[in-house]
Amino acid sequence: MLQVAVARVKAEGLLLDYANIELEDLIRTAGVPRSTVFRIWPDRAAFVADLVRALFEADPGFDTGFDAETLDALRQAVAESAGAPAAERPAMLRDLLRRAAAHNMVAVENTIAWRAYRTMSAALSSGDAVPGGDGIRALLSELEGRYAERMAEIYRALNQAFGMRMRDGVSEADLAIAVMAMIDGMSDHRRIDPATVDAPRTVALGPEGPRDWHLAGIAVWGIYTAFTESADA
């Protein structure tokens, strides 16, 4: 049942009112006993709650916050920083975030997990009754916590590799939540006007001079520098 439903969501999307999640139709498609289905899920709300988890399990990359290509770039940059002079590391970090934000903004937004997450979040915040709303809210809270924890680990590794530390009063988890909130908002604007959001901005954010930046990259760099300082400061 869940495999069939995940495949259908991938093909058709997930409506805010879950109107395309019909148990009877899924039972016929999956070829499973109706009595067993309703013993496991007494109503559609219960099934939707499990479907949300299945959507994320079908796309485990969401839990890392980055797609595989971006994660590889992060690992490579961390490895290269070990042999780089301290004076060159800030520019290396800027270039990493510039490239990673531009790529990841598009790659993650196109994943099934991210689309489901945004759909569920929008439905829960709409004020309308959502089937299984309490369970879905608890699940999204759990997933956000895992996401923020994973992102905090990544920022901790970047700080160590590039000679940075968190400013007094804020943590890597705070940084992760701030970046998450910015990406959520920018993702909303990108769906409305992708050309404006994705258009490169040529700006100098360091002594290396003007570079083409995605708007998300500029925002991530601004948040990152506001939350961190040089470990030598």
Side-chain angles (χ1 to χ4, degrees):
M1 283 284 289
L2 290 172
Q3 289 174 346
V4 168
V6 167
R8 180 161 298 180
V9 171
K10 286 182 177 180
E12 301 176 7
L14 184 64
L15 303 182
L16 289 181
D17 59 1
Y18 314 113
N20 55 343
I21 304 300
E22 292 291 348
L23 290 185
E24 296 290 351
D25 183 37
L26 291 173
I27 289 170
R28 288 192 296 271
T29 303
V32 294
R34 187 175 185 276
S35 59
T36 302
V37 168
F38 283 99
R39 185 168 65 249
I40 298 171
W41 301 291
D43 53 36
R44 189 170 65 166
F47 180 78
V48 167
D50 278 356
L51 172 59
V52 174
R53 185 178 295 277
L55 288 169
F56 285 91
E57 290 174 349
D59 186 8
F62 176 85
D63 204 25
T64 69
F66 294 109
D67 67 297
E69 185 176 338
T70 305
L71 277 174
D72 287 342
L74 288 169
R75 295 189 187 102
Q76 182 180 350
V78 168
E80 291 175 351
S81 70
E88 296 179 8
R89 289 178 185 173
M92 294 174 64
L93 178 59
R94 273 190 296 274
D95 189 57
L96 170 63
L97 295 180
R98 181 179 68 88
R99 292 182 290 110
H103 173 78
N104 203 62
M105 182 77 187
V106 177
V108 171
E109 190 170 307
N110 288 333
T111 65
I112 180 176
W114 182 262
R115 293 198 305 270
Y117 167 78
R118 297 299 294 151
T119 298
M120 298 293 183
S121 298
L124 290 174
S125 63
S126 68
D128 299 328
V130 176
D134 290 342
I136 291 172
R137 188 182 304 277
L139 176 58
L140 290 185
S141 178
E142 173 197 332
L143 292 168
E144 280 198 353
R146 286 163 48 189
Y147 179 90
E149 181 179 343
R150 176 58 178 154
M151 292 298 296
E153 292 175 2
I154 290 174
Y155 289 130
R156 196 171 293 114
L158 290 179
N159 283 349
Q160 183 175 0
F162 291 97
M164 306 296 290
R165 67 185 178 198
M166 302 306 299
R167 297 183 188 273
D168 288 343
V170 291
S171 67
E172 290 86 353
D174 295 327
L175 173 58
I177 292 170
V179 172
M180 286 166 57
M182 182 277 295
I183 293 297
D184 279 358
M186 190 164 293
S187 177
D188 287 339
H189 285 288
R190 188 174 183 274
R191 283 195 295 272
I192 297 170
D193 189 2
T196 297
V197 172
D198 290 340
R201 274 72 171 178
T202 304
V203 57
L205 296 181
E208 60 270 23
R211 297 286 186 87
D212 283 348
W213 286 76
H214 189 282
L215 195 59
I218 298 174
V220 169
W221 178 247
I223 295 170
Y224 193 92
T225 55
F227 276 71
T228 62
E229 62 185 6
S230 171
D232 297 329

